Short mmCIF file of all heavy atoms in Angstrom, two decimals:
data_model
loop_
_atom_site.label_atom_id
_atom_site.label_comp_id
_atom_site.label_asym_id
_atom_site.label_seq_id
_atom_site.Cartn_x
_atom_site.Cartn_y
_atom_site.Cartn_z
N VAL A 210 7.86 -210.69 -45.13
CA VAL A 210 8.33 -210.12 -43.88
C VAL A 210 7.19 -209.42 -43.16
O VAL A 210 6.21 -208.99 -43.79
CB VAL A 210 9.50 -209.12 -44.09
CG1 VAL A 210 10.71 -209.83 -44.66
CG2 VAL A 210 9.09 -207.95 -44.96
N SER A 211 7.32 -209.32 -41.84
CA SER A 211 6.37 -208.57 -41.02
C SER A 211 7.08 -207.37 -40.42
O SER A 211 8.23 -207.47 -39.98
CB SER A 211 5.84 -209.43 -39.86
OG SER A 211 4.99 -210.44 -40.32
N VAL A 212 6.38 -206.26 -40.40
CA VAL A 212 6.87 -205.08 -39.70
C VAL A 212 5.87 -204.75 -38.60
O VAL A 212 4.70 -204.44 -38.86
CB VAL A 212 7.04 -203.87 -40.64
CG1 VAL A 212 7.58 -202.67 -39.85
CG2 VAL A 212 7.98 -204.22 -41.78
N LEU A 213 6.33 -204.87 -37.39
CA LEU A 213 5.52 -204.58 -36.21
C LEU A 213 5.81 -203.15 -35.79
O LEU A 213 6.98 -202.77 -35.59
CB LEU A 213 5.88 -205.56 -35.10
CG LEU A 213 4.94 -205.72 -33.92
CD1 LEU A 213 3.60 -206.29 -34.39
CD2 LEU A 213 5.57 -206.64 -32.88
N VAL A 214 4.77 -202.34 -35.68
CA VAL A 214 4.92 -200.92 -35.38
C VAL A 214 3.87 -200.54 -34.34
O VAL A 214 2.80 -201.15 -34.27
CB VAL A 214 4.81 -200.09 -36.67
CG1 VAL A 214 3.45 -200.23 -37.31
CG2 VAL A 214 5.16 -198.62 -36.46
N ALA A 215 4.19 -199.56 -33.52
CA ALA A 215 3.24 -199.10 -32.49
C ALA A 215 3.25 -197.58 -32.47
O ALA A 215 4.26 -196.93 -32.78
CB ALA A 215 3.61 -199.65 -31.12
N ARG A 216 2.09 -197.03 -32.10
CA ARG A 216 1.96 -195.57 -32.04
C ARG A 216 1.13 -195.19 -30.83
O ARG A 216 0.12 -195.84 -30.52
CB ARG A 216 1.30 -195.04 -33.31
CG ARG A 216 1.20 -193.51 -33.41
CD ARG A 216 0.65 -193.12 -34.78
NE ARG A 216 0.57 -191.67 -34.96
CZ ARG A 216 -0.47 -190.93 -34.61
NH1 ARG A 216 -1.54 -191.51 -34.07
NH2 ARG A 216 -0.47 -189.63 -34.80
N GLY A 217 1.59 -194.16 -30.12
CA GLY A 217 0.87 -193.67 -28.96
C GLY A 217 -0.07 -192.53 -29.33
O GLY A 217 -0.01 -191.98 -30.43
N VAL A 218 -0.93 -192.16 -28.40
CA VAL A 218 -1.89 -191.08 -28.65
C VAL A 218 -1.18 -189.74 -28.84
O VAL A 218 -1.71 -188.81 -29.45
CB VAL A 218 -2.92 -191.02 -27.50
CG1 VAL A 218 -2.30 -190.47 -26.22
CG2 VAL A 218 -4.14 -190.20 -27.90
N ASP A 219 0.05 -189.65 -28.34
CA ASP A 219 0.83 -188.42 -28.50
C ASP A 219 1.54 -188.34 -29.85
O ASP A 219 2.23 -187.36 -30.14
CB ASP A 219 1.85 -188.29 -27.38
CG ASP A 219 2.86 -189.43 -27.36
OD1 ASP A 219 2.61 -190.47 -28.02
OD2 ASP A 219 3.88 -189.31 -26.66
N GLY A 220 1.36 -189.37 -30.69
CA GLY A 220 1.98 -189.37 -32.01
C GLY A 220 3.33 -190.04 -32.06
O GLY A 220 3.89 -190.22 -33.15
N GLU A 221 3.88 -190.44 -30.92
CA GLU A 221 5.16 -191.15 -30.92
C GLU A 221 4.96 -192.53 -31.56
O GLU A 221 4.01 -193.24 -31.24
CB GLU A 221 5.68 -191.34 -29.49
CG GLU A 221 6.98 -192.14 -29.44
CD GLU A 221 7.35 -192.60 -28.04
OE1 GLU A 221 6.53 -192.40 -27.12
OE2 GLU A 221 8.43 -193.18 -27.88
N SER A 222 5.88 -192.91 -32.45
CA SER A 222 5.82 -194.22 -33.09
C SER A 222 7.15 -194.95 -32.93
O SER A 222 8.22 -194.32 -32.93
CB SER A 222 5.52 -194.08 -34.59
OG SER A 222 4.23 -193.54 -34.79
N VAL A 223 7.08 -196.26 -32.80
CA VAL A 223 8.27 -197.10 -32.70
C VAL A 223 8.08 -198.30 -33.61
O VAL A 223 6.96 -198.75 -33.86
CB VAL A 223 8.53 -197.57 -31.25
CG1 VAL A 223 8.87 -196.40 -30.35
CG2 VAL A 223 7.33 -198.33 -30.69
N VAL A 224 9.19 -198.83 -34.12
CA VAL A 224 9.11 -199.94 -35.05
C VAL A 224 10.09 -201.03 -34.61
O VAL A 224 11.19 -200.73 -34.13
CB VAL A 224 9.39 -199.48 -36.50
CG1 VAL A 224 10.78 -198.91 -36.67
CG2 VAL A 224 9.14 -200.60 -37.49
N TYR A 225 9.69 -202.28 -34.76
CA TYR A 225 10.51 -203.43 -34.37
C TYR A 225 11.40 -203.88 -35.53
O TYR A 225 11.17 -203.52 -36.68
CB TYR A 225 9.60 -204.59 -33.94
CG TYR A 225 8.99 -204.43 -32.57
CD1 TYR A 225 7.80 -203.72 -32.40
CD2 TYR A 225 9.58 -205.00 -31.44
CE1 TYR A 225 7.23 -203.57 -31.15
CE2 TYR A 225 9.02 -204.86 -30.19
CZ TYR A 225 7.85 -204.16 -30.04
OH TYR A 225 7.28 -204.01 -28.79
N PRO A 226 12.41 -204.71 -35.24
CA PRO A 226 13.22 -205.29 -36.31
C PRO A 226 12.35 -206.09 -37.28
O PRO A 226 11.29 -206.59 -36.92
CB PRO A 226 14.19 -206.21 -35.56
CG PRO A 226 14.26 -205.65 -34.16
CD PRO A 226 12.89 -205.11 -33.89
N ILE A 227 12.83 -206.22 -38.51
CA ILE A 227 12.11 -206.96 -39.54
C ILE A 227 12.12 -208.46 -39.22
O ILE A 227 13.18 -209.04 -38.96
CB ILE A 227 12.74 -206.75 -40.93
CG1 ILE A 227 12.76 -205.26 -41.28
CG2 ILE A 227 12.00 -207.56 -41.98
CD1 ILE A 227 11.42 -204.66 -41.59
N ALA A 228 10.96 -209.08 -39.25
CA ALA A 228 10.83 -210.52 -39.05
C ALA A 228 10.44 -211.18 -40.36
O ALA A 228 9.68 -210.61 -41.15
CB ALA A 228 9.78 -210.82 -37.98
N GLU A 229 10.96 -212.37 -40.60
CA GLU A 229 10.67 -213.10 -41.83
C GLU A 229 9.78 -214.30 -41.52
O GLU A 229 10.01 -215.01 -40.53
CB GLU A 229 11.96 -213.58 -42.47
CG GLU A 229 11.78 -214.28 -43.81
CD GLU A 229 13.09 -214.61 -44.49
OE1 GLU A 229 14.07 -213.82 -44.33
OE2 GLU A 229 13.16 -215.64 -45.18
N ASN A 230 8.77 -214.53 -42.36
CA ASN A 230 7.75 -215.55 -42.08
C ASN A 230 7.77 -216.67 -43.11
O ASN A 230 8.01 -216.44 -44.29
CB ASN A 230 6.35 -214.92 -42.09
CG ASN A 230 6.21 -213.83 -41.06
OD1 ASN A 230 6.73 -213.92 -39.96
ND2 ASN A 230 5.51 -212.77 -41.42
N MET A 231 7.49 -217.87 -42.62
CA MET A 231 7.26 -219.03 -43.47
C MET A 231 5.89 -219.59 -43.13
O MET A 231 5.56 -219.74 -41.95
CB MET A 231 8.34 -220.10 -43.23
CG MET A 231 9.75 -219.64 -43.52
SD MET A 231 11.00 -220.85 -42.97
CE MET A 231 10.52 -222.27 -43.94
N HIS A 232 5.08 -219.90 -44.16
CA HIS A 232 3.73 -220.40 -43.96
C HIS A 232 3.59 -221.84 -44.47
O HIS A 232 4.32 -222.27 -45.36
CB HIS A 232 2.71 -219.52 -44.70
CG HIS A 232 2.56 -218.16 -44.11
ND1 HIS A 232 3.45 -217.14 -44.38
CD2 HIS A 232 1.63 -217.64 -43.28
CE1 HIS A 232 3.06 -216.04 -43.73
NE2 HIS A 232 1.96 -216.32 -43.06
N ARG A 233 2.62 -222.53 -43.88
CA ARG A 233 2.19 -223.83 -44.38
C ARG A 233 0.67 -223.88 -44.36
O ARG A 233 0.05 -223.58 -43.32
CB ARG A 233 2.75 -224.98 -43.53
CG ARG A 233 4.21 -225.29 -43.82
CD ARG A 233 4.68 -226.52 -43.10
NE ARG A 233 6.08 -226.79 -43.41
CZ ARG A 233 6.84 -227.63 -42.73
NH1 ARG A 233 6.33 -228.31 -41.71
NH2 ARG A 233 8.09 -227.81 -43.07
N ASP A 234 0.08 -224.23 -45.49
CA ASP A 234 -1.38 -224.33 -45.60
C ASP A 234 -2.07 -223.04 -45.17
O ASP A 234 -3.13 -223.06 -44.54
CB ASP A 234 -1.91 -225.52 -44.79
CG ASP A 234 -1.33 -226.84 -45.25
OD1 ASP A 234 -1.16 -227.02 -46.48
OD2 ASP A 234 -1.03 -227.70 -44.39
N GLY A 235 -1.44 -221.91 -45.48
CA GLY A 235 -2.03 -220.62 -45.18
C GLY A 235 -1.90 -220.17 -43.75
O GLY A 235 -2.41 -219.12 -43.38
N ILE A 236 -1.22 -220.95 -42.91
CA ILE A 236 -1.05 -220.62 -41.49
C ILE A 236 0.43 -220.38 -41.22
O ILE A 236 1.29 -221.12 -41.72
CB ILE A 236 -1.57 -221.76 -40.59
CG1 ILE A 236 -3.06 -222.00 -40.84
CG2 ILE A 236 -1.35 -221.44 -39.11
CD1 ILE A 236 -3.63 -223.19 -40.08
N LEU A 237 0.75 -219.38 -40.42
CA LEU A 237 2.14 -219.10 -40.08
C LEU A 237 2.78 -220.33 -39.44
O LEU A 237 2.23 -220.91 -38.50
CB LEU A 237 2.22 -217.90 -39.13
CG LEU A 237 3.64 -217.45 -38.76
CD1 LEU A 237 4.38 -216.92 -39.99
CD2 LEU A 237 3.59 -216.38 -37.67
N PHE A 238 3.93 -220.72 -39.95
CA PHE A 238 4.66 -221.89 -39.47
C PHE A 238 5.85 -221.47 -38.61
O PHE A 238 5.98 -221.85 -37.45
CB PHE A 238 5.11 -222.72 -40.67
CG PHE A 238 6.06 -223.85 -40.36
CD1 PHE A 238 5.84 -224.71 -39.29
CD2 PHE A 238 7.18 -224.07 -41.15
CE1 PHE A 238 6.71 -225.75 -39.01
CE2 PHE A 238 8.05 -225.11 -40.89
CZ PHE A 238 7.82 -225.95 -39.82
N VAL A 239 6.72 -220.63 -39.17
CA VAL A 239 7.94 -220.21 -38.47
C VAL A 239 8.17 -218.73 -38.74
O VAL A 239 7.92 -218.23 -39.84
CB VAL A 239 9.16 -221.02 -38.98
CG1 VAL A 239 10.47 -220.39 -38.50
CG2 VAL A 239 9.08 -222.47 -38.51
N THR A 240 8.64 -218.02 -37.72
CA THR A 240 9.12 -216.65 -37.86
C THR A 240 10.58 -216.59 -37.43
O THR A 240 10.95 -217.17 -36.41
CB THR A 240 8.29 -215.67 -37.01
OG1 THR A 240 6.95 -215.61 -37.53
CG2 THR A 240 8.88 -214.27 -37.04
N LEU A 241 11.39 -215.89 -38.23
CA LEU A 241 12.79 -215.69 -37.91
C LEU A 241 13.02 -214.20 -37.69
O LEU A 241 12.62 -213.38 -38.52
CB LEU A 241 13.70 -216.19 -39.04
CG LEU A 241 13.53 -217.64 -39.48
CD1 LEU A 241 12.55 -217.73 -40.66
CD2 LEU A 241 14.86 -218.25 -39.88
N ALA A 242 13.67 -213.87 -36.58
CA ALA A 242 13.90 -212.46 -36.28
C ALA A 242 15.31 -212.28 -35.69
O ALA A 242 15.62 -212.93 -34.69
CB ALA A 242 12.85 -211.95 -35.29
N PRO A 243 16.13 -211.46 -36.30
CA PRO A 243 15.82 -210.66 -37.48
C PRO A 243 15.81 -211.51 -38.75
O PRO A 243 16.36 -212.61 -38.78
CB PRO A 243 16.96 -209.64 -37.51
CG PRO A 243 18.10 -210.35 -36.86
CD PRO A 243 17.48 -211.20 -35.79
N SER A 244 15.19 -210.99 -39.81
CA SER A 244 15.13 -211.70 -41.07
C SER A 244 16.54 -211.97 -41.59
O SER A 244 17.37 -211.06 -41.66
CB SER A 244 14.37 -210.87 -42.11
OG SER A 244 14.57 -211.38 -43.42
N PRO A 245 16.83 -213.22 -41.97
CA PRO A 245 18.16 -213.52 -42.48
C PRO A 245 18.38 -213.10 -43.93
O PRO A 245 19.51 -213.10 -44.40
CB PRO A 245 18.24 -215.05 -42.34
CG PRO A 245 16.83 -215.50 -42.47
CD PRO A 245 15.99 -214.42 -41.85
N ASN A 246 17.31 -212.76 -44.63
CA ASN A 246 17.42 -212.49 -46.06
C ASN A 246 17.25 -211.03 -46.45
O ASN A 246 17.74 -210.61 -47.49
CB ASN A 246 16.37 -213.33 -46.83
CG ASN A 246 16.69 -214.81 -46.79
OD1 ASN A 246 17.78 -215.24 -47.16
ND2 ASN A 246 15.73 -215.61 -46.33
N VAL A 247 16.55 -210.27 -45.65
CA VAL A 247 16.24 -208.90 -46.04
C VAL A 247 17.51 -208.05 -46.06
O VAL A 247 18.37 -208.17 -45.18
CB VAL A 247 15.18 -208.30 -45.08
CG1 VAL A 247 15.76 -208.00 -43.70
CG2 VAL A 247 14.56 -207.05 -45.68
N THR A 248 17.63 -207.22 -47.08
CA THR A 248 18.77 -206.31 -47.16
C THR A 248 18.51 -205.07 -46.32
O THR A 248 17.36 -204.76 -45.97
CB THR A 248 19.03 -205.89 -48.62
OG1 THR A 248 17.90 -205.11 -49.08
CG2 THR A 248 19.21 -207.11 -49.52
N ALA A 249 19.56 -204.35 -46.02
CA ALA A 249 19.41 -203.13 -45.22
C ALA A 249 18.51 -202.12 -45.92
O ALA A 249 17.69 -201.45 -45.28
CB ALA A 249 20.78 -202.52 -44.95
N ASP A 250 18.63 -202.01 -47.25
CA ASP A 250 17.82 -201.05 -47.99
C ASP A 250 16.34 -201.43 -47.95
O ASP A 250 15.46 -200.57 -47.75
CB ASP A 250 18.29 -200.96 -49.44
CG ASP A 250 19.61 -200.22 -49.58
OD1 ASP A 250 20.01 -199.54 -48.62
OD2 ASP A 250 20.25 -200.33 -50.65
N VAL A 251 16.04 -202.72 -48.17
CA VAL A 251 14.64 -203.16 -48.15
C VAL A 251 14.07 -203.03 -46.74
O VAL A 251 12.92 -202.62 -46.56
CB VAL A 251 14.52 -204.61 -48.66
CG1 VAL A 251 13.11 -205.15 -48.44
CG2 VAL A 251 14.87 -204.68 -50.14
N ALA A 252 14.86 -203.38 -45.71
CA ALA A 252 14.40 -203.25 -44.32
C ALA A 252 14.05 -201.80 -44.00
O ALA A 252 13.00 -201.52 -43.41
CB ALA A 252 15.47 -203.76 -43.36
N LYS A 253 14.91 -200.88 -44.41
CA LYS A 253 14.66 -199.46 -44.16
C LYS A 253 13.39 -199.00 -44.87
O LYS A 253 12.57 -198.28 -44.30
CB LYS A 253 15.86 -198.65 -44.63
CG LYS A 253 15.77 -197.14 -44.38
CD LYS A 253 17.09 -196.48 -44.74
CE LYS A 253 17.07 -194.98 -44.41
NZ LYS A 253 16.20 -194.23 -45.32
N LYS A 254 13.22 -199.44 -46.13
CA LYS A 254 12.04 -199.04 -46.89
C LYS A 254 10.76 -199.58 -46.26
O LYS A 254 9.75 -198.87 -46.17
CB LYS A 254 12.17 -199.54 -48.33
CG LYS A 254 11.14 -198.95 -49.29
CD LYS A 254 11.47 -199.28 -50.74
CE LYS A 254 10.51 -198.56 -51.69
NZ LYS A 254 10.85 -198.85 -53.11
N ALA A 255 10.80 -200.85 -45.78
CA ALA A 255 9.62 -201.45 -45.16
C ALA A 255 9.28 -200.75 -43.85
O ALA A 255 8.10 -200.47 -43.56
CB ALA A 255 9.86 -202.94 -44.92
N GLN A 256 10.29 -200.46 -43.04
CA GLN A 256 10.04 -199.80 -41.76
C GLN A 256 9.52 -198.38 -41.96
O GLN A 256 8.60 -197.94 -41.26
CB GLN A 256 11.31 -199.80 -40.91
CG GLN A 256 11.67 -201.19 -40.38
CD GLN A 256 12.97 -201.19 -39.61
OE1 GLN A 256 13.94 -200.52 -39.99
NE2 GLN A 256 13.03 -201.94 -38.53
N GLU A 257 10.08 -197.67 -42.93
CA GLU A 257 9.60 -196.31 -43.19
C GLU A 257 8.18 -196.33 -43.73
O GLU A 257 7.36 -195.46 -43.37
CB GLU A 257 10.55 -195.61 -44.18
CG GLU A 257 11.90 -195.24 -43.56
CD GLU A 257 12.84 -194.60 -44.57
OE1 GLU A 257 12.53 -194.63 -45.78
OE2 GLU A 257 13.87 -194.06 -44.13
#
C-alpha cells in the first residue's frame, strides 16, 4: 500500500486514503484507491 501525506511549513499535515499497488517487472502496474484489502486497523496504523 501507499500512504500519500503532505505537510505545510506551519506544521499542518494531511493524509490521503490508503491506495493499494500491483507491480510488474519492478514497475507500478495498477493502483486501486481505496485499497480493497486493507483493514480499518491496518489503514489507521499506516496513516498514523
